[in-house]
Amino acid sequence: MLQWIRGSGKDGANPSAPGKTSAKGGEDAWLAGNSERYFGLENFGNTCYCNSVLQALYFARPFRDCLLAYSYPLSAAVSAANALGFTLPPLDSPLIISSHGIATGSAALPLKAQLEAVAQERADDTLLTTLNDLFTKISTQKKRTGVMRPQTFVTKLKEENELFQGITQQDAQEFLNYTLNAIAEILVRHKKEYIEKLQLLMPSLIPPQPQATQIVPESKAADRKPYASTTWVHELFEGLYTNETKCLTCENTTNRDEPFLDLSIDISQHSSVSACLRNFSTSETLCAKDKFYCDTCKSLQEAEKRMKIKSLPNILAVHLKRFKYQENLQRFIKLNYRVVFPFELKLFNTTDDAADPDRLYTLSSVIVHLGIGPHQGHYISLVKSHDHWICFDDDSVQCVDESELTRYFGDLNNPGTGYILLYERVGFDAAHIVRGMRPSGVPLDVVPPPLGEDAEEEAVSPGKAFSQEARSSSAPVVASLMGHVGSTPSVNQPVPQSSVSSGNAFSGFGRFKRPSMAADKHNSLQEGSAAPEMMRRSADGEAERATAGTPSSSVTAMPETGPYAWWKRKN
């Protein structure tokens, strides 16, 4: 069983030691010609569901580029300005903001410092920023391979959602859905915050609005007219499908649009993803107790219902429903049906008015579930990077042949099955999205130069790189300047000393909390730090930690008994 799961070829040869890269043809065959980093993620006992999804998201390049480019509060201010229909002045412009407009002078401070001073949230206290930090540390490592400890992200995840607490296995699809929605909610909150602040701080720059700019709540996302993405997460992952319900009496058709971030489809034995998508749009007759209330007939009528895709996402996440609740067993069982997933995909179940219905997708990653149930087993991910397929099994990283993916189509005799598929739109480039969240004058290169090999300090994300400077020294002064908004100081009027030292000088905007000046420091064992230098083996032969550059066991703290016992590795 273990060789089947971890084997590197048909001969079932043992893979290299944990954390080592291996591939047919040698290591240079897939590492040469690109500067990508391939880092495994340490398993904290039951976090393989998290590790597999994070690897798939990291190698979804549009998502990674947008995540690394986003910086609170500056990106939030830029997005808000775009929504209001104007462009922010350069961040280094010394400005004095008043109710009569914007002026310059010796008493002015850079716009960047002023925007940071009114930030309502701590920049390092969300699921978004902890994921940004993790991705930044991976992409800035000087070494090409190794192991990261996503401890800060996992800790924040468990704080935010009790579903992911405890020692039981969790569902990878639930984690993916929660993560995307949580990040989107943070982005919407940031954007709404700075729309309100820019309307107060820069009213003279905002062009006349036909109506008040509003952030549409997620619960009313289906009612957006015209349909439009609100954040870069929506712009990447969100699609729209429509429920078409046709009354069989009056033949009136009712359409209801619903957005989705991942597309969950039912599966059947000996089928394919394309066939399952066709079944997704198969007509269904509503009759008997399921009759449809027709607004035209003013009564319950038999109707025909079907779903079609109206707007296609740029990254299509397909969730195969492999877990089904069995009434007689009173639990979920796994469907190991053989479902072939293509390397290229077109969606044919689109509406007549769908934009770009012939869009071609290419498979970028596969999240595989190994086991017999949703709360037991193991997750791995296979991602495509520079024309090579890489298998991430927690802290183990291997290059595999493309043919290896066929082993995960599904078989009643095999525990490994494809569960989540990520398809990327062919030719899609997220540069325009990145540009829309970058202040003017900031380059689009979202990956900072690599860290030194012996660097011990915490990696700084490219987003934070242009938001942390001068925060602690300038924020109190900016608060004082904002306190004089109503007094309209002249261009060269000095700032009164009393206003600088006054804690309540931020009169017009007292409800906005300034961010904490203290930056949290991570020790060498926290998220993203290198694996400990020394390896010690106890009498029973278990490795406590691996050498630098060699990851620790991917099943750390796995229980001796219970649903995970079959997966515990022993020599």
Side-chain angles (χ1 to χ4, degrees):
M1 173 73 73
L2 187 58
Q3 289 183 348
W4 185 90
I5 296 172
R6 300 291 304 280
S8 59
K10 294 181 180 179
D11 55 359
N14 291 331
S16 57
K20 298 291 185 181
T21 56
S22 62
K24 295 178 180 179
E27 182 176 309
D28 294 339
W30 60 285
L31 290 177
N34 70 83
S35 58
E36 191 64 83
R37 271 68 177 161
Y38 302 95
F39 276 72
L41 299 175
E42 184 174 338
N43 190 320
F44 297 109
N46 67 322
T47 57
C48 58
Y49 71 92
C50 174
N51 292 345
S52 60
V53 172
L54 292 183
Q55 296 288 8
L57 291 177
Y58 181 84
F59 285 93
R61 191 58 187 261
F63 178 85
R64 189 208 312 179
D65 288 350
C66 290
L67 179 68
L68 295 181
Y70 186 82
S71 166
Y72 176 81
L74 299 182
S75 293
V78 173
S79 298
N82 293 338
L84 292 170
F86 76 99
T87 302
L88 285 177
L91 292 179
D92 57 354
S93 302
L95 303 174
I96 295 178
I97 302 175
S98 72
S99 59
H100 295 280
I102 294 181
T104 61
S106 59
L109 286 176
L111 175 63
K112 170 184 171 181
Q114 300 184 50
L115 293 174
E116 290 174 340
V118 296
Q120 189 170 347
E121 299 182 5
R122 290 182 55 187
D124 58 349
D125 196 31
T126 66
L127 204 66
L128 171 64
T129 51
T130 54
L131 185 59
N132 179 294
D133 289 343
L134 176 62
F135 280 17
T136 298
K137 291 165 189 173
I138 295 175
S139 62
T140 55
Q141 290 298 311
K142 187 172 183 179
K143 293 182 179 180
R144 299 290 305 282
T145 60
V147 180
M148 287 289 175
R149 302 190 71 206
Q151 184 173 359
T152 304
F153 176 82
V154 172
T155 300
K156 189 64 181 177
L157 173 68
K158 293 182 178 181
E159 290 177 359
E160 296 286 337
N161 192 331
E162 62 181 10
L163 174 67
F164 302 107
Q165 298 176 2
I167 61 173
T168 59
Q169 181 66 277
Q170 302 299 327
D171 188 277
Q173 187 267 342
E174 291 180 355
F175 168 69
L176 171 63
N177 193 276
Y178 173 76
T179 300
L180 294 180
N181 277 285
I183 292 176
E185 288 175 3
I186 293 170
L187 296 175
V188 168
R189 184 171 70 244
H190 288 173
K191 185 176 179 180
K192 182 177 181 181
E193 173 193 347
Y194 271 86
I195 283 178
E196 295 174 352
K197 291 178 180 178
L198 293 181
Q199 287 174 332
L200 293 173
L201 295 173
M202 301 180 177
S204 61
L205 292 183
I206 301 175
Q209 303 291 310
Q211 60 183 9
T213 301
Q214 296 180 352
I215 299 297
V216 181
E218 185 180 355
S219 60
K220 297 184 179 179
D223 298 330
R224 285 179 288 193
K225 295 181 180 180
Y227 168 70
S229 298
T230 58
T231 70
W232 55 262
V233 171
H234 294 99
E235 196 162 350
L236 293 179
F237 285 92
E238 189 176 57
L240 191 72
Y241 68 81
T242 182
N243 276 313
E244 295 182 354
T245 307
K246 180 180 179 181
C247 176
L248 296 181
T249 301
C250 66
E251 297 189 352
N252 180 60
T253 301
T254 302
N255 295 323
R256 186 185 66 186
D257 295 339
E258 296 184 14
F260 65 88
L261 294 180
D262 63 338
L263 198 59
S264 296
I265 58 176
D266 293 312
I267 61 174
S268 56
Q269 178 66 294
H270 300 301
S271 62
S272 65
V273 168
S274 298
C276 294
L277 286 171
R278 282 194 295 270
N279 293 335
F280 176 80
S281 297
T282 301
S283 298
E284 174 188 1
T285 301
L286 303 178
C287 58
K289 63 179 181 180
D290 296 324
K291 283 184 177 181
F292 169 74
Y293 183 85
C294 178
D295 291 332
T296 303
C297 299
K298 304 297 183 182
S299 61
L300 292 174
Q301 298 290 340
E302 291 187 352
E304 186 179 70
K305 175 184 176 182
R306 64 178 177 178
M307 290 186 291
K308 286 188 174 183
I309 298 177
K310 186 175 183 179
S311 177
L312 285 69
N314 290 306
I315 300 179
L316 175 63
V318 179
H319 165 228
L320 305 180
K321 294 183 179 179
R322 290 198 173 272
F323 302 115
K324 180 180 180 182
Y325 188 76
Q326 198 78 4
E327 289 287 349
N328 58 335
L329 299 177
Q330 296 293 300
R331 63 179 176 85
F332 283 91
I333 62 171
K334 182 178 179 181
L335 305 177
N336 286 316
Y337 296 158
R338 179 177 175 83
V339 180
V340 177
F341 44 84
F343 292 93
E344 291 185 344
L345 178 67
K346 279 188 178 181
L347 299 181
F348 298 101
N349 54 334
T350 57
T351 59
D352 295 337
D353 59 345
D356 192 15
D358 296 326
R359 179 177 300 180
L360 179 65
Y361 291 93
T362 182
L363 185 65
S364 64
S365 61
V366 180
I367 297 173
V368 175
H369 179 266
L370 303 139
I372 60 175
H375 301 297
Q376 51 187 306
H378 185 62
Y379 286 100
I380 63 173
S381 57
L382 297 100
V383 303
K384 190 174 185 179
S385 174
H386 299 277
D387 297 325
H388 293 283
W389 283 95
I390 316 299
C391 177
F392 289 90
D393 182 358
D394 288 334
D395 54 11
S396 177
V397 183
Q398 299 180 242
C399 181
V400 297
D401 293 334
E402 187 177 87
S403 60
E404 292 292 304
L405 274 69
T406 62
R407 299 166 64 185
Y408 303 111
F409 288 164
D411 192 314
L412 295 178
N413 298 320
N414 293 328
T417 54
Y419 185 49
I420 302 173
L421 313 171
L422 290 189
Y423 286 92
E424 293 185 22
R425 173 186 171 187
V426 173
F428 175 70
D429 187 358
H432 69 285
I433 305 178
V434 172
R435 192 178 296 110
M437 68 178 80
R438 282 288 197 182
S440 59
V442 178
L444 290 180
D445 184 11
V446 297
V447 180
L451 298 176
E453 185 173 357
D454 298 327
E456 296 291 342
E457 60 272 15
E458 177 187 8
V460 179
S461 69
K464 288 185 178 180
F466 63 82
S467 65
Q468 289 179 343
E469 181 182 357
R471 168 179 285 227
S472 60
S473 59
S474 63
V477 182
V478 175
S480 304
L481 284 176
M482 298 302 177
H484 289 269
V485 169
S487 61
T488 316
S490 63
V491 171
N492 295 314
Q493 178 181 348
V495 180
Q497 291 297 322
S498 59
S499 67
V500 174
S501 59
S502 172
N504 297 320
F506 202 18
S507 58
F509 310 95
R511 67 183 182 280
F512 299 144
K513 296 188 297 182
R514 288 192 286 112
S516 170
M517 298 298 113
D520 294 335
K521 295 295 183 180
H522 294 262
N523 59 39
S524 60
L525 294 182
Q526 283 184 311
E527 170 187 77
S529 61
E533 294 289 332
M534 302 301 294
M535 180 180 72
R536 301 184 305 273
R537 292 187 177 273
S538 57
D540 61 359
E542 293 185 352
E544 293 181 330
R545 285 292 184 266
T547 56
T550 304
S552 57
S553 172
S554 63
V555 287
T556 307
M558 195 66 73
E560 294 283 353
T561 60
Y564 299 99
W566 68 277
W567 179 247
K568 185 172 179 65
R569 299 176 184 144
K570 290 185 178 295
N571 294 328

